[in-house]
Amino acid sequence: MITKRHVLQLAIAALTTACAVTAFAADTSPIKIGLILPMTGQSASTGRQIDAAVKLWMAQNGNKVAGRSIEVILKDDGAVPDATKRIAQELIVNDKVSVIAGFGITPTALATAPLATQSKTPLVVMAAATSSITEASPYIIRTSFTLPQVTIGIADWAAKNKIKKAVTLVADYGPGFDAEKYFDSQFRLNGGQILDKLRTPLRSPDFAPVLQKVLDAKPDALFVFLPSGQGAAFMKQFAERGLDKSGVKLIATGDVTDDDQLNDMGDVALGVVNSHHYSAAHPSATNKKFVDAFQAANKFRPNFMAVGGYDGMRVIYKALEATKGAGGDALLAAMKGQIFESPRGPVLIDGQTRDIVQDVYIRKVERVPAMGNGLYNVEFDVIKGVKDPGKLK
Ligand code: VNL
């Protein structure tokens, strides 16, 4: 005879089994990554490079992590901060992404930082490079670089190489202010003198007026930082205004002698000494593999933006593997402290600052017969394991 009590016991048993099944059933829904990049407008080359690198990473490493498929949702913000913020909001609220990544220029990262904090969504900066970005939210991780990090090296090199008087020229926004400040202080610390500090607007800069000022000031060297994508236009005007024959030595961060444009700059770029964290000519087996695969897939050369995107995907994949697909604070924690060999060299995601620690190279633009006679940044010195000096306050 089946009593009420039996029915109740059976019901409880059935419920318990159902719960256990639910608890142990693997989540098979896709893990979504929101990738926000400037695919149009002035910074479109940065979007094109990072998009290609993300695709290469996935072609090489598969689209599954912890048994779940990875879905990258690419959105174009045109490098307009209001658009970045709106897109990030939609990705977090509607698409329920586990990570937001990309961020071509500093203002787009800063505009989105509060959303990362509010929603506890890890935000991976693959491009933007103003030192303070990582301080805008505890959920920000950076796989690109910072301007203070790459500027100290060229300031030291200049002072040691008979450059006594310099003029600085930077883009008039965050990373430009960092480059100007750190070149100025490091160069003067080494006994150098700054004759003038010039700035050009981020959007549609005209270099003619500032180049005339450089000619008038007659420094030993002109130090330049401009964001990726502006180097070729600058070099053209540098030559047209006769600066290349004026005796003013051009020195820069590697953003100016960017691999994306370098090969088309022509002889004016030859001999330009600059410092940066990545060159497509970096002589390591890991880099050669990366460059060959990238070029086979894209018919163009990877630049430092591509490497920031490729390494960003690595950090996201390894963290997702560690959390078995979980997001939020656990995912953020798993991103911190990663150490690996990047195409650029050895890197660390600093657990305290969430910023990248990496080698910075001093390079000179040369024609490289062994590499199709192309123009490359050839490394001739290295500063190992550089932390962002902007964090050493
Ligand atoms: C930034 C810094 C952008 C360095 C760049 O290229 C660059 C930035 C677009 O932080 O806005 O080369």
Side-chain angles (χ1 to χ4, degrees), residues 263-275:
N263 207 28
D264 301 322
M265 287 182 191
D267 287 355
V268 58
L270 282 175
V272 173
V273 176
N274 65 90
S275 55

Side-chain angles (χ1 to χ4, degrees), residues 70-92:
I70 300 288
E71 188 184 314
V72 173
I73 307 175
L74 172 64
K75 298 278 181 187
D76 174 18
D77 67 357
V80 178
D82 284 344
T84 320
K85 197 176 160 185
R86 177 180 47 74
I87 292 166
Q89 175 100 32
E90 286 166 9
L91 287 167
I92 293 167

Side-chain angles (χ1 to χ4, degrees), residues 43 46 104-106 128-130 145 147 173 175 225-228 255 304-305:
S43 302
T46 292
I105 64 169
T106 290
T130 300
F145 69 107
L147 263 303
Y173 76 122
F225 161 75
L226 295 167
S228 183
D255 307 76
F304 60 99
M305 295 300 189

Side-chain angles (χ1 to χ4, degrees), residues 38-56:
M39 301 306 294
T40 53
Q42 188 174 273
S43 302
S45 67
T46 292
R48 172 170 49 80
Q49 286 274 351
I50 295 177
D51 178 35
V54 167
K55 292 194 166 109
L56 177 64

Side-chain angles (χ1 to χ4, degrees), residues 57 309-319 338-340:
W57 173 272
Y310 190 76
D311 290 348
M313 285 303 281
R314 190 228 184 251
V315 168
I316 295 168
Y317 263 51
K318 297 293 164 191
Q338 288 192 27
I339 295 180
F340 57 97

